Amino acid sequence: MQMLHFRVPTSCNGMRLNIFLRTMGVSSACIKAVKYQGTGFCVRLGDEVIPVHTDYRVATAQIISFALPPESPTAVQPEPLPIDVIYEDEFAAVLNKPAGIAVHPTLNHTSGTLANGWLYRLKCRGEDGVFRPVNRIDKNTSGLVLCAQNAFAAPELAKTAQKCYLALVEGPLPVGSGRIDVPIARRGDSIIGRCVREDGKPSVTEYTVLAASASHALVSCFPVTGRTHQIRVHFSWLGHPLAGDSLYGGHTDIIARHALHCAVLRFNRPADHEPRRVQSPLPEDFLAACCAAYLPDKEEIQTMLQSVLPCAE
């Protein structure tokens, strides 16, 4: 059972407890769960720790504490799968997902997913829990997946997470920055396919071309919105489909899956709001495709990424 503790700053003196907790980033759903399903809230007064209700008026320098309620049971089954954990603390974990593995079980992929492997990892540590991904990536997209360790952390992580994807696109593009702002809708001839269409949902991708050759370009992509297949659809519409992306017009001569990798994640750590930045190692098939396209090698690409989504000093 995880305990959370919050010191009341002067600016919050006299606030109702529920309003103070919302100010601290605790969601209303989490407050209700602690109130009705957990052990409630308490405050330290001198040497005493006493229970308080959500209408209690907090005072400067008081410590408000509560235990997160137990997680609801999950139907996902633990499976002994290798999980590459790049970063972990009591609030967040960042996993490095290889291409070919789904993030979460679906009708088509009921096992062998990142979720199954994560639950097995918890089981081996003697812990209960659920798999709570904050960002999801396609089965054949590789790279970083941010997960919340508990219900308290999830809203804050979702609110502050920023992602940078690396895409290898076909055709030369001028080095520099750009923005694709066109709506995306379901494609009528495909269950999973999407397309650019006037009646679609607003969709924005910002990007920077890091390097280009006569046949391909290496692009860092920042999805402002989070539509299904957004980066793939946007660059296909631009006339530069991702290498390996046969669904949207790409060719599989230098890579067998769409060349998209979530390379950098930046987020604020819940409770203290300190920024964290995680950078992923690049998968071998992506690097081999860059080599075949006469683009920068592993060390050069990693150096380029160092300036992406920096944390303030």
Side-chain angles (χ1 to χ4, degrees), residues 161-195:
Q162 296 174 282
K163 295 163 286 184
C164 169
Y165 290 82
L166 274 184
L168 179 61
V169 306
E170 296 184 357
L173 276 170
V175 173
S177 298
R179 178 184 174 94
I180 306 172
D181 185 354
V182 289
I184 291 176
R186 286 184 177 273
R187 202 170 78 186
D189 64 339
S190 171
I191 296 175
I192 62 170
R194 300 296 192 271
C195 65

Side-chain angles (χ1 to χ4, degrees), residues 92 153 156-157 160-161 266-276:
E156 176 73 8
L157 293 173
T160 63
R266 187 181 185 276
F267 57 92
N268 290 354
R269 183 176 179 273
D272 60 15
H273 308 294
E274 286 294 318
R276 296 288 186 272

Side-chain angles (χ1 to χ4, degrees), residues 111-124:
S111 63
T113 71
L114 213 58
N116 300 105
W118 177 255
L119 291 177
Y120 184 81
R121 185 172 186 270
L122 292 182
K123 180 180 177 181
C124 290

Side-chain angles (χ1 to χ4, degrees), residues 63-268:
I63 304 295
I64 304 296
S65 304
F66 61 92
L68 289 171
E71 299 280 9
S72 300
T74 177
V76 180
Q77 296 300 309
E79 294 180 29
L81 303 169
I83 297 292
D84 185 11
V85 181
I86 303 293
Y87 171 91
E88 185 174 13
D89 62 27
E90 65 268 43
F91 299 108
V94 180
L95 314 183
N96 190 41
K97 186 188 83 67
I101 293 179
V103 170
H104 204 277
T106 64
L107 289 176
N108 296 325
H109 306 99
T110 58
S111 63
T113 71
L114 213 58
N116 300 105
W118 177 255
L119 291 177
Y120 184 81
R121 185 172 186 270
L122 292 182
K123 180 180 177 181
C124 290
R125 299 196 308 199
E127 299 175 11
D128 293 322
V130 299
F131 181 66
R132 191 181 278 105
V134 174
N135 70 302
R136 300 178 185 232
I137 57 180
D138 295 339
K139 179 183 177 185
N140 285 326
T141 299
S142 55
L144 302 176
V145 176
L146 175 63
C147 304
Q149 298 274 36
N150 51 61
F152 160 70
E156 176 73 8
L157 293 173
K159 182 174 66 176
T160 63
Q162 296 174 282
K163 295 163 286 184
C164 169
Y165 290 82
L166 274 184
L168 179 61
V169 306
E170 296 184 357
L173 276 170
V175 173
S177 298
R179 178 184 174 94
I180 306 172
D181 185 354
V182 289
I184 291 176
R186 286 184 177 273
R187 202 170 78 186
D189 64 339
S190 171
I191 296 175
I192 62 170
R194 300 296 192 271
C195 65
V196 169
R197 204 168 65 210
E198 286 185 4
D199 64 344
K201 295 180 179 179
S203 308
V204 178
T205 302
E206 295 176 346
Y207 68 89
T208 299
V209 178
L210 301 174
S213 66
S215 61
H216 292 79
L218 181 65
V219 185
S220 59
C221 306
F222 307 89
V224 178
T225 53
R227 309 301 177 202
T228 299
H229 297 179
Q230 178 174 306
I231 293 172
R232 299 165 62 189
V233 172
H234 272 172
F235 277 93
S236 178
W237 173 83
L238 199 64
H240 296 275
L242 271 61
D245 195 356
S246 56
L247 181 61
Y248 295 112
H251 299 87
T252 57
D253 52 341
I254 62 172
I255 189 169
R257 50 100 178 185
H258 57 257
L260 188 63
H261 177 74
C262 187
V264 181
L265 267 172
R266 187 181 185 276
F267 57 92
N268 290 354

